[in-house]
Amino acid sequence: QGASANILVNSGFETGDFSGWTVNSTAVNYGVKKIGEATPDGHYGPGKVVGNDSYAAWLITRSYSGQSLTLSQTVLFANGTYNIGFTYGSNQGPFGNFTSILLDGVSIATAGSQGDGSINNGLQTLQTQQSVVAGLHTVSFFLSGSGSAPLPLSADDFFVSNVNGDPAAVPEPGIAALLSLGFGALALARRRKS
């Protein structure tokens, strides 16, 4: 079986806005724009949104001032191992960043640190694999970057997908047994009628 579909909604901001996302931002300037659109200027000149598709989230960040953006969704997981990640980048750099992925408030992947010069022009991906038990879980993506100078940062292509394919297509053994008993009872009832 191949990997299943992304269980996040509006994962590439196809709607042109934050529909489906819970947004928590301390950044003064942030939003969703088309790829290539201008953002407020950064330290190195004019900013623009970078990404892979039509739209991306963006923010102007000064991490030493505590400016960041956290995007979250609460989604229903089946038991399994999941690929979780996103793409981020800038049209400026290099500059430091700190990005992380959290599951139910616990960090499961991080990249960069303030002032380490880890974002260059273009896109990078932060991703991890995580075993998850069935149930509702909140996945959060934290973005922060630069030092005291304003710099544009974009994020796109968020994903959460089961590496073993769609578990909903294969019922649990107990459910399969109950379904077999039910179909057997229906067949027996039909046979008695005739």
Side-chain angles (χ1 to χ4, degrees):
Q1 268 182 331
S4 66
N6 191 349
I7 62 175
L8 295 175
V9 297
N10 197 23
S11 60
F13 308 102
E14 300 84 13
T15 61
D17 58 25
F18 286 119
S19 296
W21 290 95
T22 299
V23 180
N24 184 358
S25 180
T26 57
V28 176
N29 296 303
Y30 68 94
V32 173
K33 288 189 173 197
K34 288 186 176 182
I35 304 301
E37 277 192 88
T39 66
D41 288 349
H43 181 69
Y44 297 111
K48 72 175 183 176
V49 176
V50 296
N52 291 316
D53 299 314
S54 298
Y55 293 92
W58 65 274
L59 73 149
I60 300 296
T61 178
R62 292 179 177 96
S63 65
Y64 291 164
S65 302
Q67 295 182 358
S68 63
L69 176 67
T70 302
L71 301 173
S72 304
Q73 287 190 24
T74 300
V75 292
L76 181 62
F77 284 81
N79 284 324
T81 301
Y82 287 80
N83 286 322
I84 304 172
F86 68 105
T87 302
Y88 63 98
S90 180
N91 73 313
Q92 300 182 7
F95 64 91
N97 80 92
F98 180 75
T99 57
S100 63
I101 302 170
L102 300 96
L103 183 63
D104 295 328
V106 176
S107 179
I108 58 173
T110 61
S113 64
Q114 293 177 339
D116 71 357
S118 57
I119 290 184
N120 293 303
N121 290 340
L123 298 171
Q124 299 167 219
T125 299
L126 174 60
Q127 66 181 0
T128 188
Q129 278 194 350
Q130 181 73 30
S131 294
V132 182
V133 297
L136 285 173
H137 297 280
T138 300
V139 181
S140 301
F141 303 90
F142 175 83
L143 301 139
S144 182
S146 83
S148 58
L151 289 164
L153 184 59
S154 300
D156 194 11
D157 298 331
F158 294 81
F159 59 90
V160 175
S161 59
N162 191 310
V163 299
N164 297 318
D166 185 2
V170 181
E172 292 289 328
I175 294 172
L178 286 174
L179 284 171
S180 296
L181 283 173
F183 287 131
L186 285 173
L188 183 61
R190 178 175 270 170
R191 188 172 180 206
R192 283 188 179 170
K193 270 188 166 180
S194 24

